Amino acid sequence: MSRILSGMQPTGNLHLGNYLGALKNWAGMQYSHECFYCVADLHAITVPQDPQKLRQAVRETAAAYIAAGIDTKKSTLFAQSAVPAHAELIWVLATFAPLGCLILMTQFKDKTAKSRDLELLGLYAYPVLMAADILIYKATHVPVGEDQKQHLELTRDVAGAFNRQYSVEYFPLPEPVILGEAARVMSLRDGTKKMSKSDESDYSRINLTDDADAIALKFRKARTDAAPLPHTLKELETRPEADNLVTIYAALADQARKDVLTAHSGSQFSGFKKELTDLAVSRLAPITEKMRHLLQDPTEIDRILVRGADTANALAGQHMREIKDIVGLWSGK
Ligand code: AQP
């Protein structure tokens, strides 16, 4: 059976991009794959975090996973920092990660462009830690948004280099699984920037915890141009904000973008935004409600995370011992 690893950073409110680009697809995979879903708190500290808020954000992120359909009896849900082998493997993989590739990673470039204070080894090494997250479980598939494809290519390169160096077929080369129409959801304020938790403007994103009024307000204020919805996808190519709203609609409605245009071409955005709001509210409200309910019992969430960490540690620990053996490190054997 193929094995999945995916995760999200507990860096604030999860948003529609996280949901449509990744989370929405995770639940369905539980029936066809062995799934490991982590809350990526080691990644989160690549930018400064308040310790209390981080701990709480780990619980909130875990609650969001469960609310979006992760069944913790089927899938392993855990906090990344509870499995020490992630941090151990990054050191081995770092010896295969070319600096020339790391400097080109868009996430590093985007974040350091916002603040030069973030030009730190941790943020620079972020994609290598992501490679360790995936490879420590020998995952075969990784469901991610389009924005993470570059990081996954690095994972494949590093895994291949390790296998060649030690003449083994140890690590599988993991495949990206990019599903649905919303592989990349863009900011509601600027259709050329991805929707992101760290965007200063809350109006740039729909948070999974937003209520119906907030969702309506944010879509109403979402930037668009004056023209009505076009007839063809080609005409959207030069209209990034319009394109983004059509993409979001299509993903929420589980429709193809061209079918959304067929149904709405010629409509004004004011009307389309109202329909989009109703659709988003109907999809997100049950998740928000379930998250709220789960967060009323943080001890239960902690229990789930401890159980998940036990399962994850058993597999990751076994793999780490095998990796150390291959490399010639002390594995305790
Ligand atoms: N805008 C997006 N469109 C589609 N998919 C997205 N993902 C994130 N943003 C979008 C997918 O969500 C998963 C987890 O992402 P993450 O939280 O670990 O990190 P991120 O990609 O860096 O997300 P943010 O919101 O931009 O966080 P910050 O601002 O904290 O860095 C991934 O599978 C990603 O593809």
Side-chain angles (χ1 to χ4, degrees):
M1 197 197 224
S2 43
R3 186 175 289 147
I4 293 273
L5 177 287
S6 205
M8 289 184 195
Q9 301 180 78
T11 42
N13 278 328
L14 293 181
H15 51 74
L16 197 59
N18 296 130
Y19 176 65
L20 293 176
L23 200 49
K24 178 172 177 268
N25 304 317
W26 291 2
M29 295 183 152
Q30 302 176 105
Y31 304 97
S32 47
H33 301 77
E34 181 187 7
C35 296
F36 287 79
Y37 293 121
C38 76
V39 179
D41 52 355
L42 294 176
H43 283 280
I45 60 165
T46 54
V47 300
Q49 301 292 340
D50 173 283
Q52 292 300 335
K53 286 190 186 151
L54 179 61
R55 247 186 300 275
Q56 182 55 18
V58 169
R59 290 192 188 104
E60 284 168 10
T61 308
Y65 290 7
I66 300 169
I70 300 303
D71 176 351
T72 56
K73 294 202 178 71
K74 273 194 193 315
S75 298
T76 302
L77 194 169
F78 61 101
Q80 184 188 23
S81 62
V83 183
H86 290 242
E88 211 174 350
L89 182 57
I90 186 181
W91 184 252
V92 175
L93 299 183
T95 65
F96 294 94
L99 295 184
C101 292
L102 294 179
I103 200 81
L104 296 176
M105 296 287 152
T106 39
Q107 176 158 295
F108 180 76
K109 286 200 289 190
D110 288 354
K111 288 200 172 162
T112 52
K114 280 185 209 153
S115 163
R116 292 214 55 189
D117 293 346
L118 292 177
E119 285 182 2
L120 300 168
L121 179 60
L123 188 60
Y124 192 68
Y126 184 112
V128 192
L129 179 59
M130 186 169 150
D133 301 335
I134 297 163
L135 297 176
I136 196 64
Y137 300 99
K138 298 173 77 171
T140 54
H141 294 83
V142 184
V144 284
E146 187 77 37
D147 58 312
Q148 294 288 346
K149 225 175 140 188
Q150 200 185 27
H151 290 164
L152 198 60
E153 270 156 27
L154 184 92
T155 303
R156 291 166 59 86
D157 290 349
V158 166
F162 178 97
N163 288 346
R164 279 193 301 282
Q165 164 88 12
Y166 295 107
S167 305
V168 288
E169 287 300 318
Y170 188 75
F171 290 126
L173 303 190
E175 300 284 344
V177 184
I178 296 182
L179 295 169
E181 288 285 7
R184 197 172 172 86
V185 177
M186 309 311 277
S187 157
L188 300 181
R189 310 299 289 163
D190 176 351
T192 63
K193 270 172 46 187
K194 82 164 191 165
M195 187 177 283
S196 181
K197 296 185 222 94
S198 53
D199 195 312
E200 280 154 22
S201 167
D202 199 49
Y203 285 103
S204 69
R205 64 184 160 260
I206 304 288
N207 301 309
L208 293 192
T209 47
D210 283 344
D211 61 18
D213 289 343
I215 294 175
L217 181 65
K218 286 177 179 181
F219 277 132
R220 207 162 53 240
K221 280 181 164 282
R223 195 161 139 192
T224 38
D225 47 48
L229 274 109
H231 295 271
T232 63
L233 292 175
K234 181 107 192 95
E235 293 166 88
L236 279 179
E237 281 173 10
T238 50
R239 301 173 60 188
E241 284 84 15
D243 191 0
N244 190 34
L245 294 187
V246 170
T247 301
I248 292 174
Y249 190 106
L252 285 169
D254 286 320
Q255 282 178 9
R257 287 157 72 233
K258 70 174 177 29
D259 295 337
V260 175
L261 286 187
T262 306
H264 295 274
S265 61
S267 309
Q268 293 300 324
F269 267 97
S270 50
F272 182 71
K273 283 174 168 183
K274 282 199 188 102
E275 282 197 40
L276 182 55
T277 299
D278 291 345
L279 183 59
V281 170
S282 72
R283 287 296 152 101
L284 299 184
I287 298 174
T288 311
E289 185 46 42
K290 182 144 192 220
M291 267 177 81
R292 263 195 216 113
H293 179 72
L294 289 162
L295 285 166
Q296 282 166 6
D297 188 358
T299 323
E300 176 56 18
I301 297 180
D302 289 356
R303 259 197 296 271
I304 289 170
L305 288 171
V306 168
R307 217 173 40 231
D310 287 346
T311 309
N313 267 312
L315 186 65
Q318 177 202 324
H319 288 165
M320 198 62 225
R321 283 189 294 279
E322 291 167 1
I323 293 161
K324 284 175 151 184
D325 240 14
I326 293 170
V327 176
L329 297 173
W330 181 255
S331 66
K333 273 195 184 168

